[in-house]
Amino acid sequence: MEPIERAATVRYAAAADLPDALRGADALFVYDFLSRALPSAWPAADTLGWVHIASAGVDPVMFPELRDSDVVLTNSRGVFDAAIAEYVLGLVIAFAKDFAGSLRLQQQRTWRHRETERVAGTSALVVGTGPIGRAVARLLRAVGMSVAGAGRRARRDDPDFGTVVSSAELTDHVADVDVVVAVAPLTEQTKGMFDARAFAAMKPGSRFVNVGRGELMVTDDLVSALRSGHLSAAALDVFEQEPLPPESPLWTMENVLISAHMSGDVVGWRDALVEVFADNFARWCEGRPLRNVVDKRLGYVPSMS
Amino acid sequence: MEPIERAATVRYAAAADLPDALRGADALFVYDFLSRALPSAWPAADTLGWVHIASAGVDPVMFPELRDSDVVLTNSRGVFDAAIAEYVLGLVIAFAKDFAGSLRLQQQRTWRHRETERVAGTSALVVGTGPIGRAVARLLRAVGMSVAGAGRRARRDDPDFGTVVSSAELTDHVADVDVVVAVAPLTEQTKGMFDARAFAAMKPGSRFVNVGRGELMVTDDLVSALRSGHLSAAALDVFEQEPLPPESPLWTMENVLISAHMSGDVVGWRDALVEVFADNFARWCEGRPLRNVVDKRLGYVPSMS
């Protein structure tokens, strides 16, 4: 933060201090991106022109007052792409090779040979065609999977996905897919899109990976689809409620892999997030166009295409 | 086996029946490749001209009487390559993203965010430059790792490895490597090559993957290298003694991932193994050259290059 501290008065604020810190501020860097402190502090934002968030998803700050204001919103697009793609690929292989089963057998000192699955030749639908979804698609393709995307606009000949189907018609396009990966931004349109109807449309025995936002899925519906055996497994890095409450049935389901909202957080990620902000800060000071400007109507940074 | 049963008298034998079945037989298909029954049954092999083994490694049948005989030995080269490569890539990502740690935390219903590592940009040395090692190298490269090989003959410009260093000088080439993958054939030269000296030469914090043969490593030395923290983790699919005995310290080491000699055994592998034999059987009947002929002096099928 040194370059920024040299050029501006920087106030560091926890949630309780946010209203005071916000008063008279020209720009806000939301570093704790899951903080819910901003809406209630918003009336103090008397001179604010720019909010930058240390995440790819901007849903935590899409409250009406900010959304409808003239305040520019930018995100940290790009920081997490490659790391999340590796994470998803690892999960897909972990399913195919039953790494979780091996670890449980190891804990019981039990030697049990099982047959595994190939990954190449299987198929994935990546729901979300932003930079993270694109990185996921490229990496899954690199190991021989056939990959399509699901986004706002159906199209062919996408450079990363080939075919992109319409997210709104998801249930028409999941019947033959081995792994469905949720990495869409959380908006009014995508909230709860993975519900009982969507899971029922998926291929029997298929798997679900959520590295986007917990609110993309209806957790109870997912639990039912897993318990019935219709879905064979799920890997969840995000949840409707985080931290995942101890009473959640997900914790003890053997066909569920849980991690703590960390798929993109590789060593050095905090520095990378500050660098993205610092770059935009320099642009802002010099009156140059900001990077990663969110279309607040859409709820994400539109891709250039 | 139907095409073979049509063309020949086929005797199916368990270990106890092997001497009787072997008497007068022209060819032997060693389907249980870990069986140790053949050496003691060998005197009954009065008319044997060809032995085929349902594995890539031929070490279980490299006893002196077969090795020094005129009997042709072929293996199942090719069946396991791609599956093992996926398995190794999955293990490398599982290390980087600490999937095992996530599973243990899940079992305790504990939410704990950790930073993960990138895989791209890290390095691997694949010890063994046969088709399995080549498939591993290609897949690790596909996700952005830098990969070299270690084989019998040092060289540059290998199509899959780029650089191949000499296995005999392994300790000179592991100091900067993040992951060492053992997939060499088990021979007099490679037996015990991963010993205290080799582990000591590896980069502090590096990881070791063995999908080749347990006897490539000195298990006690590996345990020491892991306990001291010099190596940060190991993933072992093969062991000096299989099944791994319940009293092995490896079972309870948190930085060890154990699986039951299954990295290449994808659904359909048994059929694939029979197909390889059936193809060679047809060649043998017709007097055409057999595929996958083992150089019994080397202990493996030499690559074409």
Side-chain angles (χ1 to χ4, degrees), chain A residues 86 97 106-107 109 113 115-116 118-120 246 256 258 265 267 269, chain B residues 86 97 106-107 109 113 115-116 119-120 246 256 258 265-267 269:
Chain A
E86 291 177 351
K97 311 302 182 183
Q106 180 176 341
Q107 290 171 332
R109 298 177 181 240
H113 177 278
E115 292 188 343
T116 63
R118 284 296 307 278
V119 172
V256 174
I258 288 173
D265 301 346
V267 172
W269 67 299
Chain B
E86 290 178 352
K97 312 301 182 182
Q106 179 176 343
Q107 290 171 331
R109 298 178 180 241
H113 178 277
E115 292 187 343
T116 63
V119 171
V256 174
I258 289 173
D265 300 348
V266 288
V267 173
W269 67 299

PDB file of all heavy atoms in Angstrom, chain A residues 86 97 106-107 109 113 115-116 118-120 246 256 258 265 267 269, chain B residues 86 97 106-107 109 113 115-116 119-120 246 256 258 265-267 269:
ATOM      1  N   GLU A  86      -6.855 -24.670 -11.753  1.00  0.00           N
ATOM      2  CA  GLU A  86      -6.103 -25.822 -11.247  1.00  0.00           C
ATOM      3  C   GLU A  86      -6.898 -26.567 -10.183  1.00  0.00           C
ATOM      4  O   GLU A  86      -6.916 -27.801 -10.131  1.00  0.00           O
ATOM      5  CB  GLU A  86      -4.766 -25.359 -10.654  1.00  0.00           C
ATOM      6  CG  GLU A  86      -3.781 -24.845 -11.686  1.00  0.00           C
ATOM      7  CD  GLU A  86      -2.486 -24.334 -11.065  1.00  0.00           C
ATOM      8  OE1 GLU A  86      -2.415 -24.220  -9.814  1.00  0.00           O
ATOM      9  OE2 GLU A  86      -1.547 -24.033 -11.815  1.00  0.00           O
ATOM     10  N   LYS A  97     -10.420 -40.626  -9.590  1.00  0.00           N
ATOM     11  CA  LYS A  97      -9.476 -41.586  -9.007  1.00  0.00           C
ATOM     12  C   LYS A  97      -9.836 -41.925  -7.558  1.00  0.00           C
ATOM     13  O   LYS A  97      -9.109 -42.668  -6.899  1.00  0.00           O
ATOM     14  CB  LYS A  97      -8.052 -41.021  -9.075  1.00  0.00           C
ATOM     15  CG  LYS A  97      -7.645 -40.465 -10.443  1.00  0.00           C
ATOM     16  CD  LYS A  97      -7.730 -41.490 -11.573  1.00  0.00           C
ATOM     17  CE  LYS A  97      -7.257 -40.887 -12.889  1.00  0.00           C
ATOM     18  NZ  LYS A  97      -7.403 -41.839 -14.023  1.00  0.00           N
ATOM     19  N   GLN A 106      -6.961 -45.352   4.045  1.00  0.00           N
ATOM     20  CA  GLN A 106      -5.671 -45.193   4.715  1.00  0.00           C
ATOM     21  C   GLN A 106      -5.857 -44.994   6.219  1.00  0.00           C
ATOM     22  O   GLN A 106      -5.124 -45.574   7.028  1.00  0.00           O
ATOM     23  CB  GLN A 106      -4.928 -44.002   4.104  1.00  0.00           C
ATOM     24  CG  GLN A 106      -3.556 -43.737   4.727  1.00  0.00           C
ATOM     25  CD  GLN A 106      -2.816 -42.608   4.026  1.00  0.00           C
ATOM     26  OE1 GLN A 106      -3.131 -42.252   2.880  1.00  0.00           O
ATOM     27  NE2 GLN A 106      -1.820 -42.044   4.695  1.00  0.00           N
ATOM     28  N   GLN A 107      -6.847 -44.189   6.595  1.00  0.00           N
ATOM     29  CA  GLN A 107      -7.099 -43.929   8.020  1.00  0.00           C
ATOM     30  C   GLN A 107      -7.485 -45.210   8.752  1.00  0.00           C
ATOM     31  O   GLN A 107      -7.304 -45.312   9.958  1.00  0.00           O
ATOM     32  CB  GLN A 107      -8.196 -42.867   8.158  1.00  0.00           C
ATOM     33  CG  GLN A 107      -7.738 -41.482   7.714  1.00  0.00           C
ATOM     34  CD  GLN A 107      -8.877 -40.471   7.652  1.00  0.00           C
ATOM     35  OE1 GLN A 107     -10.026 -40.830   7.435  1.00  0.00           O
ATOM     36  NE2 GLN A 107      -8.548 -39.202   7.861  1.00  0.00           N
ATOM     37  N   ARG A 109      -6.150 -48.097   7.858  1.00  0.00           N
ATOM     38  CA  ARG A 109      -5.062 -49.028   7.522  1.00  0.00           C
ATOM     39  C   ARG A 109      -5.563 -50.173   6.649  1.00  0.00           C
ATOM     40  O   ARG A 109      -5.195 -51.337   6.852  1.00  0.00           O
ATOM     41  CB  ARG A 109      -4.421 -49.608   8.790  1.00  0.00           C
ATOM     42  CG  ARG A 109      -3.771 -48.574   9.684  1.00  0.00           C
ATOM     43  CD  ARG A 109      -3.222 -49.234  10.942  1.00  0.00           C
ATOM     44  NE  ARG A 109      -2.609 -48.235  11.808  1.00  0.00           N
ATOM     45  CZ  ARG A 109      -1.338 -48.249  12.182  1.00  0.00           C
ATOM     46  NH1 ARG A 109      -0.545 -49.214  11.783  1.00  0.00           N
ATOM     47  NH2 ARG A 109      -0.849 -47.308  12.960  1.00  0.00           N
ATOM     48  N   HIS A 113      -7.900 -52.439  -3.319  1.00  0.00           N
ATOM     49  CA  HIS A 113      -7.775 -52.028  -4.716  1.00  0.00           C
ATOM     50  C   HIS A 113      -9.154 -51.704  -5.279  1.00  0.00           C
ATOM     51  O   HIS A 113     -10.120 -52.406  -5.029  1.00  0.00           O
ATOM     52  CB  HIS A 113      -7.142 -53.172  -5.509  1.00  0.00           C
ATOM     53  CG  HIS A 113      -7.015 -52.898  -6.969  1.00  0.00           C
ATOM     54  ND1 HIS A 113      -8.052 -53.071  -7.850  1.00  0.00           N
ATOM     55  CD2 HIS A 113      -5.981 -52.430  -7.704  1.00  0.00           C
ATOM     56  CE1 HIS A 113      -7.648 -52.732  -9.062  1.00  0.00           C
ATOM     57  NE2 HIS A 113      -6.396 -52.344  -8.999  1.00  0.00           N
ATOM     58  N   GLU A 115     -11.092 -50.051  -9.056  1.00  0.00           N
ATOM     59  CA  GLU A 115     -10.910 -49.537 -10.403  1.00  0.00           C
ATOM     60  C   GLU A 115     -11.184 -48.033 -10.394  1.00  0.00           C
ATOM     61  O   GLU A 115     -12.024 -47.540  -9.646  1.00  0.00           O
ATOM     62  CB  GLU A 115     -11.856 -50.233 -11.372  1.00  0.00           C
ATOM     63  CG  GLU A 115     -11.492 -51.700 -11.556  1.00  0.00           C
ATOM     64  CD  GLU A 115     -12.283 -52.373 -12.664  1.00  0.00           C
ATOM     65  OE1 GLU A 115     -13.321 -51.824 -13.075  1.00  0.00           O
ATOM     66  OE2 GLU A 115     -11.860 -53.446 -13.112  1.00  0.00           O
ATOM     67  N   THR A 116     -10.448 -47.323 -11.221  1.00  0.00           N
ATOM     68  CA  THR A 116     -10.627 -45.876 -11.298  1.00  0.00           C
ATOM     69  C   THR A 116     -11.226 -45.514 -12.659  1.00  0.00           C
ATOM     70  O   THR A 116     -11.524 -46.387 -13.460  1.00  0.00           O
ATOM     71  CB  THR A 116      -9.275 -45.163 -11.113  1.00  0.00           C
ATOM     72  OG1 THR A 116      -8.422 -45.546 -12.194  1.00  0.00           O
ATOM     73  CG2 THR A 116      -8.632 -45.538  -9.791  1.00  0.00           C
ATOM     74  N   ARG A 118     -11.076 -42.901 -16.208  1.00  0.00           N
ATOM     75  CA  ARG A 118     -10.330 -41.943 -17.011  1.00  0.00           C
ATOM     76  C   ARG A 118     -10.994 -40.573 -16.917  1.00  0.00           C
ATOM     77  O   ARG A 118     -12.211 -40.469 -16.730  1.00  0.00           O
ATOM     78  CB  ARG A 118     -10.302 -42.366 -18.492  1.00  0.00           C
ATOM     79  CG  ARG A 118      -9.349 -43.507 -18.812  1.00  0.00           C
ATOM     80  CD  ARG A 118      -7.885 -43.147 -18.556  1.00  0.00           C
ATOM     81  NE  ARG A 118      -7.457 -41.927 -19.218  1.00  0.00           N
ATOM     82  CZ  ARG A 118      -7.071 -41.857 -20.494  1.00  0.00           C
ATOM     83  NH1 ARG A 118      -7.043 -42.943 -21.229  1.00  0.00           N
ATOM     84  NH2 ARG A 118      -6.691 -40.706 -21.018  1.00  0.00           N
ATOM     85  N   VAL A 119     -10.193 -39.538 -17.054  1.00  0.00           N
ATOM     86  CA  VAL A 119     -10.710 -38.163 -17.132  1.00  0.00           C
ATOM     87  C   VAL A 119     -10.849 -37.753 -18.597  1.00  0.00           C
ATOM     88  O   VAL A 119     -11.882 -37.211 -19.004  1.00  0.00           O
ATOM     89  CB  VAL A 119      -9.783 -37.189 -16.375  1.00  0.00           C
ATOM     90  CG1 VAL A 119     -10.200 -35.749 -16.613  1.00  0.00           C
ATOM     91  CG2 VAL A 119      -9.787 -37.532 -14.894  1.00  0.00           C
ATOM     92  N   ALA A 120      -9.826 -38.037 -19.385  1.00  0.00           N
ATOM     93  CA  ALA A 120      -9.901 -37.735 -20.820  1.00  0.00           C
ATOM     94  C   ALA A 120     -11.100 -38.451 -21.414  1.00  0.00           C
ATOM     95  O   ALA A 120     -11.388 -39.595 -21.061  1.00  0.00           O
ATOM     96  CB  ALA A 120      -8.618 -38.185 -21.511  1.00  0.00           C
ATOM     97  N   PRO A 246     -21.763 -25.937  11.632  1.00  0.00           N
ATOM     98  CA  PRO A 246     -21.435 -27.311  12.050  1.00  0.00           C
ATOM     99  C   PRO A 246     -22.588 -28.285  11.854  1.00  0.00           C
ATOM    100  O   PRO A 246     -22.360 -29.480  11.671  1.00  0.00           O
ATOM    101  CB  PRO A 246     -21.111 -27.158  13.545  1.00  0.00           C
ATOM    102  CG  PRO A 246     -20.815 -25.723  13.752  1.00  0.00           C
ATOM    103  CD  PRO A 246     -21.549 -24.954  12.700  1.00  0.00           C
ATOM    104  N   VAL A 256     -19.262 -35.848  -0.699  1.00  0.00           N
ATOM    105  CA  VAL A 256     -19.095 -34.394  -0.771  1.00  0.00           C
ATOM    106  C   VAL A 256     -17.693 -34.022  -0.310  1.00  0.00           C
ATOM    107  O   VAL A 256     -17.226 -34.510   0.722  1.00  0.00           O
ATOM    108  CB  VAL A 256     -20.141 -33.682   0.110  1.00  0.00           C
ATOM    109  CG1 VAL A 256     -19.876 -32.184   0.161  1.00  0.00           C
ATOM    110  CG2 VAL A 256     -21.552 -33.950  -0.416  1.00  0.00           C
ATOM    111  N   ILE A 258     -15.545 -30.815   0.841  1.00  0.00           N
ATOM    112  CA  ILE A 258     -15.754 -29.445   1.319  1.00  0.00           C
ATOM    113  C   ILE A 258     -14.410 -28.749   1.481  1.00  0.00           C
ATOM    114  O   ILE A 258     -13.468 -29.321   2.025  1.00  0.00           O
ATOM    115  CB  ILE A 258     -16.494 -29.478   2.682  1.00  0.00           C
ATOM    116  CG1 ILE A 258     -17.951 -29.895   2.465  1.00  0.00           C
ATOM    117  CG2 ILE A 258     -16.403 -28.134   3.399  1.00  0.00           C
ATOM    118  CD1 ILE A 258     -18.723 -30.114   3.735  1.00  0.00           C
ATOM    119  N   ASP A 265      -7.167 -18.908  -3.663  1.00  0.00           N
ATOM    120  CA  ASP A 265      -6.301 -18.154  -2.759  1.00  0.00           C
ATOM    121  C   ASP A 265      -4.929 -18.783  -2.640  1.00  0.00           C
ATOM    122  O   ASP A 265      -4.564 -19.362  -1.617  1.00  0.00           O
ATOM    123  CB  ASP A 265      -6.970 -18.037  -1.386  1.00  0.00           C
ATOM    124  CG  ASP A 265      -8.324 -17.346  -1.474  1.00  0.00           C
ATOM    125  OD1 ASP A 265      -8.609 -16.743  -2.532  1.00  0.00           O
ATOM    126  OD2 ASP A 265      -9.088 -17.391  -0.504  1.00  0.00           O
ATOM    127  N   VAL A 267      -0.771 -18.806  -2.409  1.00  0.00           N
ATOM    128  CA  VAL A 267       0.262 -18.013  -1.746  1.00  0.00           C
ATOM    129  C   VAL A 267       0.551 -16.774  -2.600  1.00  0.00           C
ATOM    130  O   VAL A 267       0.770 -16.887  -3.798  1.00  0.00           O
ATOM    131  CB  VAL A 267       1.546 -18.863  -1.581  1.00  0.00           C
ATOM    132  CG1 VAL A 267       2.698 -18.018  -1.072  1.00  0.00           C
ATOM    133  CG2 VAL A 267       1.271 -20.049  -0.656  1.00  0.00           C
ATOM    134  N   TRP A 269      -1.671 -14.297  -2.950  1.00  0.00           N
ATOM    135  CA  TRP A 269      -2.910 -13.713  -3.478  1.00  0.00           C
ATOM    136  C   TRP A 269      -3.193 -12.349  -2.873  1.00  0.00           C
ATOM    137  O   TRP A 269      -3.709 -11.464  -3.554  1.00  0.00           O
ATOM    138  CB  TRP A 269      -4.097 -14.665  -3.275  1.00  0.00           C
ATOM    139  CG  TRP A 269      -4.489 -14.897  -1.847  1.00  0.00           C
ATOM    140  CD1 TRP A 269      -3.715 -15.438  -0.872  1.00  0.00           C
ATOM    141  CD2 TRP A 269      -5.740 -14.573  -1.235  1.00  0.00           C
ATOM    142  NE1 TRP A 269      -4.412 -15.492   0.305  1.00  0.00           N
ATOM    143  CE2 TRP A 269      -5.653 -14.977   0.122  1.00  0.00           C
ATOM    144  CE3 TRP A 269      -6.933 -14.009  -1.683  1.00  0.00           C
ATOM    145  CZ2 TRP A 269      -6.713 -14.798   1.025  1.00  0.00           C
ATOM    146  CZ3 TRP A 269      -7.984 -13.850  -0.785  1.00  0.00           C
ATOM    147  CH2 TRP A 269      -7.867 -14.236   0.549  1.00  0.00           C
TER     148      TRP A 269
ATOM    149  N   GLU B  86      -2.830 -39.304 -15.590  1.00  0.00           N
ATOM    150  CA  GLU B  86      -3.897 -38.544 -14.919  1.00  0.00           C
ATOM    151  C   GLU B  86      -3.785 -38.672 -13.402  1.00  0.00           C
ATOM    152  O   GLU B  86      -3.970 -37.699 -12.668  1.00  0.00           O
ATOM    153  CB  GLU B  86      -5.267 -39.065 -15.366  1.00  0.00           C
ATOM    154  CG  GLU B  86      -5.618 -38.744 -16.810  1.00  0.00           C
ATOM    155  CD  GLU B  86      -6.956 -39.315 -17.242  1.00  0.00           C
ATOM    156  OE1 GLU B  86      -7.566 -40.106 -16.474  1.00  0.00           O
ATOM    157  OE2 GLU B  86      -7.405 -38.993 -18.345  1.00  0.00           O
ATOM    158  N   LYS B  97      -3.025 -28.135  -3.473  1.00  0.00           N
ATOM    159  CA  LYS B  97      -4.264 -27.567  -2.935  1.00  0.00           C
ATOM    160  C   LYS B  97      -4.643 -28.172  -1.586  1.00  0.00           C
ATOM    161  O   LYS B  97      -5.694 -27.841  -1.036  1.00  0.00           O
ATOM    162  CB  LYS B  97      -5.407 -27.769  -3.946  1.00  0.00           C
ATOM    163  CG  LYS B  97      -5.069 -27.379  -5.387  1.00  0.00           C
ATOM    164  CD  LYS B  97      -4.651 -25.919  -5.535  1.00  0.00           C
ATOM    165  CE  LYS B  97      -4.387 -25.583  -7.005  1.00  0.00           C
ATOM    166  NZ  LYS B  97      -3.935 -24.178  -7.194  1.00  0.00           N
ATOM    167  N   GLN B 106     -12.854 -31.558   7.135  1.00  0.00           N
ATOM    168  CA  GLN B 106     -14.270 -31.875   6.928  1.00  0.00           C
ATOM    169  C   GLN B 106     -14.737 -32.919   7.942  1.00  0.00           C
ATOM    170  O   GLN B 106     -15.833 -32.800   8.505  1.00  0.00           O
ATOM    171  CB  GLN B 106     -14.476 -32.375   5.502  1.00  0.00           C
ATOM    172  CG  GLN B 106     -15.923 -32.752   5.182  1.00  0.00           C
ATOM    173  CD  GLN B 106     -16.097 -33.151   3.718  1.00  0.00           C
ATOM    174  OE1 GLN B 106     -15.246 -32.861   2.880  1.00  0.00           O
ATOM    175  NE2 GLN B 106     -17.206 -33.803   3.414  1.00  0.00           N
ATOM    176  N   GLN B 107     -13.902 -33.930   8.173  1.00  0.00           N
ATOM    177  CA  GLN B 107     -14.278 -34.987   9.124  1.00  0.00           C
ATOM    178  C   GLN B 107     -14.451 -34.429  10.530  1.00  0.00           C
ATOM    179  O   GLN B 107     -15.169 -34.995  11.343  1.00  0.00           O
ATOM    180  CB  GLN B 107     -13.220 -36.096   9.112  1.00  0.00           C
ATOM    181  CG  GLN B 107     -13.218 -36.901   7.810  1.00  0.00           C
ATOM    182  CD  GLN B 107     -12.045 -37.854   7.706  1.00  0.00           C
ATOM    183  OE1 GLN B 107     -10.972 -37.610   8.260  1.00  0.00           O
ATOM    184  NE2 GLN B 107     -12.225 -38.953   6.971  1.00  0.00           N
ATOM    185  N   ARG B 109     -15.660 -31.391  10.966  1.00  0.00           N
ATOM    186  CA  ARG B 109     -16.614 -30.283  10.775  1.00  0.00           C
ATOM    187  C   ARG B 109     -15.953 -28.932  11.061  1.00  0.00           C
ATOM    188  O   ARG B 109     -16.548 -28.052  11.674  1.00  0.00           O
ATOM    189  CB  ARG B 109     -17.828 -30.431  11.702  1.00  0.00           C
ATOM    190  CG  ARG B 109     -18.646 -31.680  11.451  1.00  0.00           C
ATOM    191  CD  ARG B 109     -19.783 -31.773  12.441  1.00  0.00           C
ATOM    192  NE  ARG B 109     -20.571 -32.975  12.210  1.00  0.00           N
ATOM    193  CZ  ARG B 109     -21.868 -32.972  11.900  1.00  0.00           C
ATOM    194  NH1 ARG B 109     -22.537 -31.843  11.821  1.00  0.00           N
ATOM    195  NH2 ARG B 109     -22.510 -34.090  11.683  1.00  0.00           N
ATOM    196  N   HIS B 113      -9.796 -21.790   6.440  1.00  0.00           N
ATOM    197  CA  HIS B 113      -9.222 -21.296   5.191  1.00  0.00           C
ATOM    198  C   HIS B 113      -7.702 -21.446   5.229  1.00  0.00           C
ATOM    199  O   HIS B 113      -7.077 -21.161   6.248  1.00  0.00           O
ATOM    200  CB  HIS B 113      -9.599 -19.819   5.015  1.00  0.00           C
ATOM    201  CG  HIS B 113      -9.025 -19.200   3.789  1.00  0.00           C
ATOM    202  ND1 HIS B 113      -7.745 -18.707   3.731  1.00  0.00           N
ATOM    203  CD2 HIS B 113      -9.547 -19.011   2.557  1.00  0.00           C
ATOM    204  CE1 HIS B 113      -7.511 -18.238   2.523  1.00  0.00           C
ATOM    205  NE2 HIS B 113      -8.584 -18.404   1.793  1.00  0.00           N
ATOM    206  N   GLU B 115      -4.073 -20.946   2.540  1.00  0.00           N
ATOM    207  CA  GLU B 115      -3.568 -20.561   1.231  1.00  0.00           C
ATOM    208  C   GLU B 115      -3.111 -21.818   0.505  1.00  0.00           C
ATOM    209  O   GLU B 115      -2.623 -22.762   1.118  1.00  0.00           O
ATOM    210  CB  GLU B 115      -2.409 -19.572   1.363  1.00  0.00           C
ATOM    211  CG  GLU B 115      -2.865 -18.240   1.908  1.00  0.00           C
ATOM    212  CD  GLU B 115      -1.764 -17.188   1.888  1.00  0.00           C
ATOM    213  OE1 GLU B 115      -0.583 -17.546   1.761  1.00  0.00           O
ATOM    214  OE2 GLU B 115      -2.107 -16.007   2.006  1.00  0.00           O
ATOM    215  N   THR B 116      -3.269 -21.814  -0.800  1.00  0.00           N
ATOM    216  CA  THR B 116      -2.871 -22.967  -1.598  1.00  0.00           C
ATOM    217  C   THR B 116      -1.674 -22.578  -2.476  1.00  0.00           C
ATOM    218  O   THR B 116      -1.168 -21.471  -2.397  1.00  0.00           O
ATOM    219  CB  THR B 116      -4.040 -23.435  -2.483  1.00  0.00           C
ATOM    220  OG1 THR B 116      -4.367 -22.384  -3.390  1.00  0.00           O
ATOM    221  CG2 THR B 116      -5.266 -23.768  -1.632  1.00  0.00           C
ATOM    222  N   VAL B 119       0.262 -24.762  -9.369  1.00  0.00           N
ATOM    223  CA  VAL B 119       0.958 -25.906  -9.960  1.00  0.00           C
ATOM    224  C   VAL B 119       1.796 -25.425 -11.149  1.00  0.00           C
ATOM    225  O   VAL B 119       2.969 -25.789 -11.284  1.00  0.00           O
ATOM    226  CB  VAL B 119      -0.053 -26.982 -10.407  1.00  0.00           C
ATOM    227  CG1 VAL B 119       0.637 -28.077 -11.210  1.00  0.00           C
ATOM    228  CG2 VAL B 119      -0.759 -27.559  -9.184  1.00  0.00           C
ATOM    229  N   ALA B 120       1.194 -24.613 -11.994  1.00  0.00           N
ATOM    230  CA  ALA B 120       1.936 -24.043 -13.121  1.00  0.00           C
ATOM    231  C   ALA B 120       3.156 -23.299 -12.590  1.00  0.00           C
ATOM    232  O   ALA B 120       3.083 -22.611 -11.574  1.00  0.00           O
ATOM    233  CB  ALA B 120       1.041 -23.096 -13.913  1.00  0.00           C
ATOM    234  N   PRO B 246      -0.246 -53.804   7.942  1.00  0.00           N
ATOM    235  CA  PRO B 246      -0.926 -52.880   8.866  1.00  0.00           C
ATOM    236  C   PRO B 246       0.045 -52.149   9.793  1.00  0.00           C
ATOM    237  O   PRO B 246      -0.252 -51.040  10.230  1.00  0.00           O
ATOM    238  CB  PRO B 246      -1.853 -53.792   9.676  1.00  0.00           C
ATOM    239  CG  PRO B 246      -2.000 -55.033   8.873  1.00  0.00           C
ATOM    240  CD  PRO B 246      -0.763 -55.179   8.043  1.00  0.00           C
ATOM    241  N   VAL B 256       1.548 -38.393   3.921  1.00  0.00           N
ATOM    242  CA  VAL B 256       1.646 -39.508   2.976  1.00  0.00           C
ATOM    243  C   VAL B 256       0.260 -39.856   2.451  1.00  0.00           C
ATOM    244  O   VAL B 256      -0.688 -39.973   3.226  1.00  0.00           O
ATOM    245  CB  VAL B 256       2.281 -40.745   3.648  1.00  0.00           C
ATOM    246  CG1 VAL B 256       2.240 -41.950   2.705  1.00  0.00           C
ATOM    247  CG2 VAL B 256       3.714 -40.438   4.063  1.00  0.00           C
ATOM    248  N   ILE B 258      -1.671 -42.788   0.471  1.00  0.00           N
ATOM    249  CA  ILE B 258      -1.501 -44.200   0.127  1.00  0.00           C
ATOM    250  C   ILE B 258      -2.648 -44.660  -0.763  1.00  0.00           C
ATOM    251  O   ILE B 258      -3.808 -44.351  -0.488  1.00  0.00           O
ATOM    252  CB  ILE B 258      -1.458 -45.054   1.413  1.00  0.00           C
ATOM    253  CG1 ILE B 258      -0.140 -44.809   2.150  1.00  0.00           C
ATOM    254  CG2 ILE B 258      -1.654 -46.549   1.108  1.00  0.00           C
ATOM    255  CD1 ILE B 258      -0.056 -45.472   3.502  1.00  0.00           C
ATOM    256  N   ASP B 265      -5.298 -48.610 -13.119  1.00  0.00           N
ATOM    257  CA  ASP B 265      -6.355 -49.608 -13.302  1.00  0.00           C
ATOM    258  C   ASP B 265      -7.720 -48.953 -13.478  1.00  0.00           C
ATOM    259  O   ASP B 265      -8.570 -48.991 -12.591  1.00  0.00           O
ATOM    260  CB  ASP B 265      -6.356 -50.573 -12.110  1.00  0.00           C
ATOM    261  CG  ASP B 265      -5.027 -51.296 -11.978  1.00  0.00           C
ATOM    262  OD1 ASP B 265      -4.213 -51.217 -12.926  1.00  0.00           O
ATOM    263  OD2 ASP B 265      -4.787 -51.909 -10.934  1.00  0.00           O
ATOM    264  N   VAL B 266      -7.922 -48.368 -14.646  1.00  0.00           N
ATOM    265  CA  VAL B 266      -9.218 -47.744 -14.924  1.00  0.00           C
ATOM    266  C   VAL B 266     -10.221 -48.792 -15.360  1.00  0.00           C
ATOM    267  O   VAL B 266      -9.852 -49.855 -15.856  1.00  0.00           O
ATOM    268  CB  VAL B 266      -9.109 -46.666 -16.029  1.00  0.00           C
ATOM    269  CG1 VAL B 266      -8.391 -45.451 -15.490  1.00  0.00           C
ATOM    270  CG2 VAL B 266      -8.461 -47.194 -17.273  1.00  0.00           C
ATOM    271  N   VAL B 267     -11.487 -48.463 -15.161  1.00  0.00           N
ATOM    272  CA  VAL B 267     -12.580 -49.326 -15.620  1.00  0.00           C
ATOM    273  C   VAL B 267     -12.271 -49.798 -17.041  1.00  0.00           C
ATOM    274  O   VAL B 267     -11.939 -48.995 -17.905  1.00  0.00           O
ATOM    275  CB  VAL B 267     -13.912 -48.545 -15.586  1.00  0.00           C
ATOM    276  CG1 VAL B 267     -15.034 -49.367 -16.220  1.00  0.00           C
ATOM    277  CG2 VAL B 267     -14.271 -48.163 -14.158  1.00  0.00           C
ATOM    278  N   TRP B 269      -9.793 -51.929 -17.688  1.00  0.00           N
ATOM    279  CA  TRP B 269      -8.370 -52.281 -17.836  1.00  0.00           C
ATOM    280  C   TRP B 269      -8.184 -53.775 -18.068  1.00  0.00           C
ATOM    281  O   TRP B 269      -7.291 -54.185 -18.806  1.00  0.00           O
ATOM    282  CB  TRP B 269      -7.559 -51.801 -16.635  1.00  0.00           C
ATOM    283  CG  TRP B 269      -7.880 -52.484 -15.342  1.00  0.00           C
ATOM    284  CD1 TRP B 269      -9.077 -52.490 -14.693  1.00  0.00           C
ATOM    285  CD2 TRP B 269      -7.004 -53.279 -14.533  1.00  0.00           C
ATOM    286  NE1 TRP B 269      -9.003 -53.233 -13.541  1.00  0.00           N
ATOM    287  CE2 TRP B 269      -7.749 -53.711 -13.406  1.00  0.00           C
ATOM    288  CE3 TRP B 269      -5.660 -53.654 -14.635  1.00  0.00           C
ATOM    289  CZ2 TRP B 269      -7.188 -54.520 -12.406  1.00  0.00           C
ATOM    290  CZ3 TRP B 269      -5.109 -54.445 -13.627  1.00  0.00           C
ATOM    291  CH2 TRP B 269      -5.874 -54.869 -12.532  1.00  0.00           C
TER     292      TRP B 269
END
